[in-house]
Amino acid sequence: MREIGGGAFVLATALKAIVFFTLLMVCVALATYVERRLAAFVQDRSGPNRVGPIGLLQPVADGLKNLLKEETWPAAANHAFFLLAPALAMIPATVLFAVIPFGSPLPTRWGFVPMIVADVPIGILYILAIASLGVYGVVMAGWSSGSKYSFLGGLRGSAQMISYEVGLSLSLVPIILLAGDVRVPAMVTLQQHYPGDSATLGTWLLLPLLLGAFFVVVTSLAETNRLPFDLPEAEGELVGGYHTEYSSMKFAAFFLGEYAHLLTTAALITVFFLGGWDIPFWQGDNIRVLSDGTLAGDPSWWKTLLTLVAFSVKASLVLGLFMWIRWTLPRFRYDQLMDLGWKFILEFVTIYILVIALAVYTLDRSGVEYGWTYAGVLTGVNVVLAGLLFIGFDRGRLLRGAGQRAEREARRGHMEARRRVREAALAVVSGEGAAPEETGEVAPEGGR
Amino acid sequence: MTEFFFFLFAAMAILSAIFMVTQANPVASVVYLVVTFFALSGLFVILDAHFIAAVQVIIYAGAIMVLFLFVIMLLNLGSGVPADIRRGLARVLAGSVALALIVVLTRLVLGDPGTEALDPSALASVLESEGAVRALAEPLFNRYLVAFEVTSILLLVAVIGAVVLARRRAP
């Protein structure tokens, strides 16, 4: 079976673009709801639960509210760029969706339809190119608002996004090393298990490239401006960051862009490290496009549907991880953020690429073919490196900002005093029978 | 279809390049230059040079122009910046340089290109069999390795030079 061509191809592509864009926007709306419910769960409250069943229509209400609110035009704003910025924030995040394979190819009477909007020959490079444009929305919004808070947010955003883009691009290199190709669907094929075929690795890349996945997640958090890296919109310092001056739908565009970016990032991590639409322990979904354009395997519509579900489940899990991180970790300080990006992630990822390249070279030279042995050796290398990273390096030594070493000494004395106060308080309170949880409040603040 | 997109991107490139020069506001100039890079990248895609197209966007639109924008915004250069070329003689000189450039370029376009034109179908088949990146990487890291490495050393020297120049001198 061959891919559909001619007019049918144009029609199918247009249809796919419309369907996937609609799906993306629906998922964005749902993601805002899920995020708020999750935040509520973490903070032990109910969250939005009034509009519709269990609050599911809350995003609709939010959208309506944003549409009906007044558009504000700050007096100091540069109007043309002020209007351009929300669009620039939203477009890259949505366009990125075009290269993500969602499911196995769908067979039709005229040929198969790949479940990817555009299978561009430069795959990962396209992703990097488009992702690097996301910064314009932030910079533009910050500058054109004519407000100091917005401006600071825009400057922070651009510096942060440029810095972490380097780390993100480099952490994707090991994947390209293993795949030998930059097309995105090739990543899925690489992670599928073809018994007796030495062209694919057969396992999800999460294990053979454990540290790569870790760095991709960390740098992606910084790229999407999410906690713990949400300094461009740090509300404690900058009111609302680069979109302080925006209201109604223009603000909503930033919001949509942010969540669309988050969803695409989750989808990309799924494709790179969790096998994409591959269903684990089942060879029925072994469907791939051969180099001569024909389809190998046994495609059918229900397989496409099943793989679509598998993909959604995996992407949702990654999304859940991002949300969980957001409501768990506190914000970095700006100098810590820059130290982490330039003095640690960049160096370590470079070393990581060298180690992986050496491992791949050695394995290829010693005649080991792609398969579980290959993946196992790489996993071992990664576990050793991860041990070095998490136990050897980080004891608060590298990520510690200037002046904190002295602070630590001071804190030691402080903790001692705090412990003594708490013990004294406990002794007093337990005699009177009050709840022991509240005794922590007696200790002096400021120790952090 | 291809011709339509060629003329679309070509018109986009030329118009935005003209706007880039004529805008008084430096931020607008930067934005128009980014649009120009995009249009050029589109032209590269039409030529089946996907890798160059991607690199064009990653390096120029995604990194260098962001730094330009960053510096312009940081220095807050408004639209009241006086033009560089003010006096009569300077204008005549600048105009004649531009004219000479146009003459040279026209001659290049109209005359013999001097190199053998590559068959488009050959390029497409290479793209099909080797992929967009390998077709470029093979010669770059084998045949032209020395030139490639020397170029990167040149860039490194430039970076170190910038650091040395920008460093505060000890009192």
Side-chain angles (χ1 to χ4, degrees):
Chain A
M1 195 184 275
R2 302 193 75 84
E3 192 179 340
I4 52 167
F9 170 77
V10 176
L11 195 72
T13 306
L15 209 64
K16 274 187 288 186
I18 292 168
V19 169
F20 286 141
F21 180 74
T22 316
L23 269 179
L24 175 67
M25 283 298 125
V26 171
C27 288
V28 162
L30 280 178
T32 61
Y33 168 75
V34 171
E35 168 114 61
R36 293 173 68 180
R37 289 292 290 214
L38 205 78
F41 172 72
V42 171
Q43 297 166 352
D44 200 14
R45 53 186 174 86
S46 295
N49 61 355
R50 284 286 167 268
V51 195
I54 58 163
L56 265 173
L57 292 179
Q58 186 68 38
V60 181
D62 286 343
L64 202 65
K65 183 189 84 173
N66 274 320
L67 273 175
L68 297 177
K69 275 179 102 173
E70 186 194 351
E71 297 246 355
T72 50
W73 291 94
N78 183 323
H79 278 209
F81 294 113
F82 191 71
L83 197 61
L84 193 65
L88 284 180
M90 210 175 136
I91 291 170
T94 40
V95 170
L96 216 53
F97 229 58
V99 293
I100 296 170
F102 295 95
S104 61
L106 181 73
T108 62
R109 202 181 305 165
W110 307 276
F112 71 87
V113 182
M115 281 291 112
I116 173 172
V117 177
D119 181 12
V120 287
I122 40 167
I124 291 183
L125 293 171
Y126 171 89
I127 292 167
L128 294 178
I130 300 296
S132 68
L133 299 173
V135 65
Y136 279 104
V138 175
V139 179
M140 229 29 126
W143 177 77
S144 66
S145 294
S147 145
K148 289 188 180 64
Y149 293 122
S150 302
F151 186 62
L152 280 174
L155 287 185
R156 279 183 178 189
S158 49
Q160 173 181 332
M161 285 167 100
I162 293 174
S163 307
Y164 278 79
E165 214 173 273
V166 181
L168 179 64
S169 324
L170 287 177
S171 0
L172 292 178
V173 170
I175 308 172
I176 305 174
L177 272 179
L178 282 181
D181 199 348
V182 289
R183 300 173 87 106
V184 185
M187 307 297 158
V188 180
T189 310
L190 177 76
Q191 298 173 64
Q192 282 178 328
H193 178 52
Y194 288 85
D197 189 337
S198 62
T200 68
L201 204 57
T203 52
W204 293 358
L205 287 179
L206 179 65
L207 284 179
L209 294 178
L210 188 67
L211 270 182
F214 174 74
F215 282 118
V216 168
V217 168
V218 171
T219 49
S220 294
L221 282 173
E223 278 284 293
T224 48
N225 290 331
R226 282 182 67 88
L227 267 166
F229 305 109
D230 70 335
L231 287 124
E233 39 193 304
E235 67 275 2
E237 307 142 36
L238 301 177
V239 188
Y242 58 90
H243 50 50
T244 302
E245 302 292 334
Y246 283 88
S247 71
S248 74
M249 250 352 248
K250 289 205 285 295
F251 172 75
F254 278 113
F255 211 67
L256 288 179
E258 194 182 317
Y259 274 88
H261 198 168
L262 193 65
L263 281 172
T264 24
T265 309
L268 285 173
I269 289 174
T270 307
V271 169
F272 288 147
F273 296 108
L274 298 178
W277 45 263
D278 176 50
I279 299 173
F281 310 116
W282 186 51
Q283 265 76 56
D285 62 343
N286 281 356
I287 301 157
R288 55 176 164 173
V289 185
L290 299 176
S291 55
D292 58 351
T294 56
L295 201 64
D298 178 28
S300 70
W301 63 268
W302 58 271
K303 277 180 187 170
T304 302
L305 211 62
L306 264 184
T307 48
L308 208 64
V309 170
F311 182 85
S312 320
V313 169
K314 290 180 202 173
S316 309
L317 285 177
V318 178
L319 198 66
L321 175 74
F322 279 159
M323 290 178 178
W324 183 18
I325 290 173
R326 171 168 181 183
W327 298 108
T328 307
L329 296 178
R331 187 179 293 139
F332 273 71
R333 220 173 45 211
Y334 198 70
D335 60 325
Q336 290 173 329
L337 174 90
M338 282 294 148
D339 278 358
L340 184 69
W342 287 111
K343 294 187 188 163
F344 182 67
I345 289 183
L346 182 61
E347 279 78 358
F348 199 89
V349 170
T350 314
I351 296 168
Y352 183 63
I353 292 172
L354 289 178
V355 171
I356 292 295
L358 197 69
V360 166
Y361 181 77
T362 318
L363 282 168
D364 284 347
R365 267 303 163 97
S366 49
V368 183
E369 288 190 328
Y370 268 13
W372 286 345
T373 327
Y374 204 100
V377 172
L378 282 180
T379 310
V381 169
N382 268 276
V383 168
V384 171
L385 280 180
L388 277 178
L389 173 68
F390 294 121
I391 300 163
F393 275 131
D394 187 47
R395 290 248 177 102
R397 265 176 290 182
L398 276 172
L399 307 185
R400 209 163 278 273
Q404 267 201 320
R405 235 153 280 180
E407 210 177 84
R408 186 170 55 177
E409 297 303 315
R411 201 189 302 134
R412 232 172 248 158
H414 185 83
M415 289 298 277
E416 188 62 31
R418 193 168 160 165
R419 196 176 56 80
R420 252 181 274 126
V421 169
R422 186 178 294 154
E423 273 169 8
L426 256 175
V428 171
V429 172
S430 62
E432 294 167 5
E437 286 97 319
E438 285 176 12
T439 53
E441 302 282 325
V442 182
E445 268 303 305
R448 267 188 295 169
Chain B
M1 199 72 167
T2 312
E3 276 177 4
F4 167 75
F5 279 112
F6 169 76
F7 283 112
L8 180 77
F9 286 127
M12 221 166 102
I14 293 171
L15 282 180
S16 54
I18 291 172
F19 284 139
M20 181 247 151
V21 181
T22 53
Q23 284 294 312
N25 187 342
V27 176
S29 289
V30 167
V31 173
Y32 278 118
L33 193 55
V34 171
V35 176
T36 313
F37 285 137
F38 252 94
L40 288 182
S41 158
L43 289 176
F44 281 129
V45 170
I46 290 173
L47 289 171
D48 273 337
H50 297 271
F51 182 77
I52 309 283
V55 168
Q56 174 96 10
V57 174
I58 294 174
I59 306 283
Y60 287 105
I64 293 181
M65 293 323 289
V66 175
L67 287 181
F68 270 51
L69 206 60
F70 197 79
V71 170
I72 288 172
M73 287 174 178
L74 205 61
L75 301 178
N76 207 7
L77 299 174
S79 44
V81 180
D84 292 334
I85 306 160
R86 266 168 290 183
R87 280 176 300 152
L89 185 65
R91 284 188 180 198
V92 171
L93 270 175
S96 49
V97 167
L99 202 67
L101 199 63
I102 288 172
V103 168
V104 169
L105 284 177
T106 319
R107 279 190 59 189
L108 268 179
V109 171
L110 293 181
D112 181 35
T115 50
E116 208 168 314
L118 207 60
D119 186 17
S121 62
L123 205 64
S125 73
V126 166
L127 196 70
E128 194 69 43
S129 63
E130 294 200 55
V133 180
R134 183 172 295 168
L136 199 93
E138 290 276 353
L140 201 59
F141 287 101
N142 283 325
R143 196 169 159 197
Y144 303 108
L145 181 67
V146 175
F148 180 79
E149 293 298 337
V150 168
T151 314
S152 51
I153 288 173
L154 186 71
L155 287 175
L156 186 67
V157 167
V159 170
I160 294 173
V163 171
V164 168
L165 285 178
R167 222 178 68 180
R168 267 189 227 121
R169 284 189 176 70

